[in-house]
Amino acid sequence: MLYPQDSQEIVTGAKSDINGILFINDSVGYIIGGEKYDSTLLMTTNDGGKTWIRFAYNGEHPKGVFGIAYDGKKVMAGGFEGRSYSPVGNSADWEMRQMQNWDWIQNMTFSAPNKGFLVTGEGYAFGRIYKFDTAFNVSLVDTFAYQLSDIAFANEQIGYACGYGAVLKTTDGGNSWQLQDIQGDFYKSLSVMDAENIWAVGYNGSIIHTADGGKHWEKQRNGDNPLISKYRFRDVVFKNKEIGYAAGDKGLIVKTVDGGIHWSLFKEVTNEDLKCITLKSDGSLWIGGSNGFVLHITE
């Protein structure tokens, strides 16, 4: 059992789910979230996360926001019914754009400045990968027979995506995607350390890793093993090739210091479902969850 040296619950005033946290420097950061059908949560901090300002969304039919990314110049977020959001200047205001296809945007990333990719999916049996730019001009790359949940790039050419029973890889800048030889879970999140080292976590409790760019995948934790504790992972992040963290339902936080061979459980600090985990530039962890829960851990 691990006991963090310094952990603090951050009061933001949010009551709905926290689905993503992103810091673009030591001071400026963003929170996204809300409920799928009926609430939009967009927040900004300019003091490193000490205080958060909520954007008052006044549009019709608010929807949840589930993914956020930064290309070095512009922050963009995406959510239910194909909606995209981006901050306006240095204010707490955000502007919204709408995809032609009203897909559920699960997550998004940039492989290079002004070159973004997003994954969509719903109902386990349907998913898409789209390209987009910072003006949110969107074009379809491919359609798949399984829901997709996350996407990340190691460099401009090599990237990975994951979803229901599937991990995909591109080696041509996202123009085509190949299915990897790994199954057995609903993979919810990826951590791409470099072109060779990638981890993914599943909602059934599996953790997988490749050290050779997907030629071989190792199941570091088998979520189907009835002899181990049942974990529901939702997100994973690695500091380097050795130290990584994963978070999930009912306050679950685990840590590895040997590249995922062994994982240790953090002492429970909440019973909320933890939906996102991110590293700030100072090495501290920011974790968001259900009912507006935000935790800051310094190790």
Side-chain angles (χ1 to χ4, degrees):
M1 186 72 69
L2 296 177
Y3 296 82
Q5 296 177 5
D6 183 19
S7 65
Q8 178 185 8
E9 183 176 350
I10 304 298
V11 178
T12 66
K15 303 299 181 184
S16 55
D17 290 351
I18 307 292
N19 296 323
I21 302 174
L22 171 70
F23 282 90
I24 63 172
N25 54 43
D26 289 341
S27 300
V28 180
Y30 302 92
I31 282 175
I32 60 162
E35 310 301 330
K36 177 180 176 182
Y37 294 108
D38 57 18
S39 67
T40 299
L41 179 65
L42 300 163
M43 306 188 80
T44 305
T45 180
N46 293 300
D47 57 11
K50 296 176 183 177
T51 59
W52 293 85
I53 304 168
R54 181 169 183 171
F55 170 57
Y57 180 78
N58 297 317
E60 294 184 358
H61 312 299
K63 307 296 180 184
V65 189
F66 295 91
I68 187 167
Y70 178 57
D71 77 338
K73 292 184 177 180
K74 189 167 185 177
V75 172
M76 297 192 71
F80 191 57
E81 291 189 346
R83 297 184 180 187
S84 170
Y85 309 83
S86 54
V88 178
N90 295 321
S91 71
D93 293 337
W94 295 64
E95 58 183 358
M96 192 270 283
R97 295 183 176 92
Q98 178 74 56
M99 281 176 62
Q100 183 176 0
N101 294 334
W102 288 30
D103 292 14
W104 181 355
I105 299 173
Q106 297 282 349
N107 221 324
M108 58 205 316
T109 190
F110 286 99
S111 63
N114 202 36
K115 186 178 181 181
F117 290 85
L118 61 86
V119 289
T120 71
E122 192 169 6
Y124 304 107
F126 180 79
R128 286 173 172 161
I129 296 177
Y130 291 88
K131 292 180 182 179
F132 70 94
D133 61 20
T134 51
F136 206 54
N137 298 304
V138 180
S139 60
L140 178 65
V141 174
D142 208 344
T143 300
F144 304 90
Y146 33 83
Q147 179 176 335
L148 296 175
S149 54
D150 197 12
I151 187 168
F153 277 74
N155 53 50
E156 194 169 349
Q157 295 300 313
I158 298 175
Y160 295 83
C162 67
Y164 187 66
V167 177
L168 301 165
K169 180 182 180 179
T170 180
T171 58
D172 60 6
N175 293 314
S176 62
W177 295 80
Q178 293 75 45
L179 187 64
Q180 298 286 282
D181 185 21
I182 187 71
Q183 297 177 333
D185 209 322
F186 184 2
Y187 296 107
K188 300 288 284 184
S189 175
L190 292 159
S191 182
V192 177
M193 180 56 53
D194 53 42
E196 303 296 318
N197 287 276
I198 300 92
W199 287 263
V201 295
Y203 193 61
N204 203 41
S206 295
I207 302 174
I208 59 173
H209 170 242
T210 180
D212 57 12
K215 295 176 183 177
H216 305 91
W217 287 88
E218 172 192 8
K219 188 164 281 190
Q220 294 181 327
R221 189 178 196 275
N222 184 358
D224 293 328
N225 185 346
L227 301 179
I228 62 176
S229 300
K230 175 57 67 179
Y231 290 167
R232 298 288 191 187
F233 290 119
R234 291 182 181 265
D235 204 2
V236 61
V237 64
F238 270 74
K239 282 186 177 182
N240 51 48
K241 293 180 183 179
E242 302 297 326
I243 300 174
Y245 305 84
D249 287 2
K250 298 188 181 301
L252 173 67
I253 308 172
V254 296
K255 177 183 179 180
T256 180
V257 295
D258 57 13
I261 298 172
H262 302 94
W263 293 82
S264 299
L265 187 66
F266 271 69
K267 181 181 182 298
E268 183 179 306
V269 294
T270 181
N271 198 44
E272 300 292 351
D273 294 340
L274 303 180
K275 297 172 179 282
C276 60
I277 181 168
T278 190
L279 284 166
K280 198 179 173 187
S281 58
D282 61 6
S284 64
L285 287 169
W286 286 78
I287 302 169
S290 55
N291 297 308
F293 179 81
V294 176
L295 182 69
H296 181 215
I297 296 177
T298 302
E299 286 202 290

